[in-house]
Amino acid sequence: MKKRKYSFYIIIALFLVMQIYSISRINSLNHQLNNLENTLMHYQDSIVHITDGISTSVNSALEQQVSIIASCSYEIGNPDTEALTIPVTFRIQPKQLTDSTAVSLKFDNDIVAMERQGSEFILTYNFGLANSVSPTVIIEDKGVSQFEQNMNLFIYDLKSQIFPQKSPQFSGSRGYTGQKPNYNIKGSIYIDGYSPVAQCDNGVNVLTEAKYVVTLDGQVLSENEIDLSSPDLIYGIDIDESYKVESDQTLSLTVIAVDSLGFTHEYPLFVYNKEGVEEDIIEGEKITAPDGTVVFDDIHYY
């Protein structure tokens, strides 16, 4: 009887050992399978990357092959703060060139002949500071005209090449504390972004001064400077202020900055509207020239 009992325990023990071994093997196999899947995913990503690279190269080669242009480029000059324009110089070298070859650029309905200098054709054209640029190249020779729109001559957002591209953000809390009309704004304002490629007389156009302004029904309640001395382009200032705001009044917080060219940039951060319930979040920017002309305004609510 005892032998049977011991045999039973031995069988149970062996079963447990086998179970443990099986679980260990299953875990090991799962681990190997996961490694294999990760390896396959890595190879798949590599293949996709290589394929995309080949496709891009082939498309570029095909475009170059069918293009009537051997090379082209553009260069942005210094903005004219009085005329509110900026010159862009285009350079084009046609693939086929004879003594009678002429090249023009078409900007909307304006066709302008380029000046020939050796094997290149050059043109400097003035654009509005907030324009986009997408010229059509016209190459004429012996009565035959050819047309092409080359992506290398496109400037989709000329403004971003001239003015500092900043995105002020408010991080914190705002709302009524206790009973109305005490409205509290507590947090920080940060300004990040980058500076453009276009140059001004003193170098790259950057923000030279900034402040945040709180208004109530359009009347200024407070103005405070924002420190722009941080070298990493991330500026911040802490806010902890309270104002008396009735239900029929509108409170707004706006960052106002001036750049190296003297243009004013307004970045509204939020508005507590007259309904006394909703807080409107605002995106966009308004740029005003030194003479008061609004150059760009895409401020919108959502």
Side-chain angles (χ1 to χ4, degrees), residues 189-259:
I189 294 175
Y190 298 93
I191 305 178
D192 59 6
Y194 63 91
S195 296
V197 298
Q199 305 288 306
C200 59
D201 293 338
N202 298 321
V204 176
N205 187 18
V206 297
L207 297 184
T208 58
E209 59 183 83
K211 61 184 177 181
Y212 75 84
V213 180
V214 179
T215 63
L216 183 65
D217 289 343
Q219 300 297 315
V220 176
L221 295 182
S222 67
E223 294 185 8
N224 293 273
E225 291 187 4
I226 297 176
D227 182 15
L228 298 180
S229 61
S230 176
D232 60 359
L233 296 181
I234 300 178
Y235 318 122
I237 185 171
D238 293 331
I239 306 173
D240 188 1
E241 301 177 5
S242 294
Y243 304 94
K244 292 188 180 299
V245 183
E246 302 293 346
S247 297
D248 61 345
Q249 293 181 304
T250 299
L251 184 78
S252 66
L253 175 63
T254 305
V255 169
I256 300 176
V258 179
D259 64 27

Side-chain angles (χ1 to χ4, degrees), residues 174-187:
R174 56 189 186 270
Y176 284 108
T177 56
Q179 294 183 342
K180 295 181 180 181
N182 297 317
Y183 191 93
N184 180 254
I185 303 173
K186 185 176 183 180

Side-chain angles (χ1 to χ4, degrees), residues 170 174 183 185 213-218 245 249-254 267-283 299-302:
F170 172 78
R174 56 189 186 270
Y183 191 93
I185 303 173
V213 180
V214 179
T215 63
L216 183 65
D217 289 343
V245 183
Q249 293 181 304
T250 299
L251 184 78
S252 66
L253 175 63
T254 305
Y267 311 93
L269 300 186
F270 73 82
V271 168
Y272 184 82
N273 66 25
K274 292 182 179 180
E275 301 299 326
V277 178
E278 298 292 336
E279 290 171 320
D280 294 323
I281 308 300
I282 307 173
E283 284 188 347
I299 294 173
H300 56 278
Y301 295 79
Y302 72 92

Side-chain angles (χ1 to χ4, degrees), residues 91-145:
R91 297 177 181 273
I92 295 175
Q93 183 176 355
K95 275 188 176 179
Q96 298 180 350
L97 187 64
T98 68
D99 292 340
S100 59
T101 301
V103 181
S104 302
L105 289 180
K106 181 181 179 182
F107 307 99
D108 295 327
N109 296 321
D110 192 12
I111 299 177
V112 186
M114 303 185 74
E115 179 184 350
R116 183 167 182 168
Q117 295 185 10
S119 62
E120 277 191 331
F121 289 82
I122 300 175
L123 171 67
T124 298
Y125 193 88
N126 290 318
F127 296 91
L129 300 180
N131 284 165
S132 59
V133 180
S134 54
T136 299
V137 180
I138 305 173
I139 299 180
E140 298 177 282
D141 198 359
K142 298 177 183 179
V144 178
S145 297

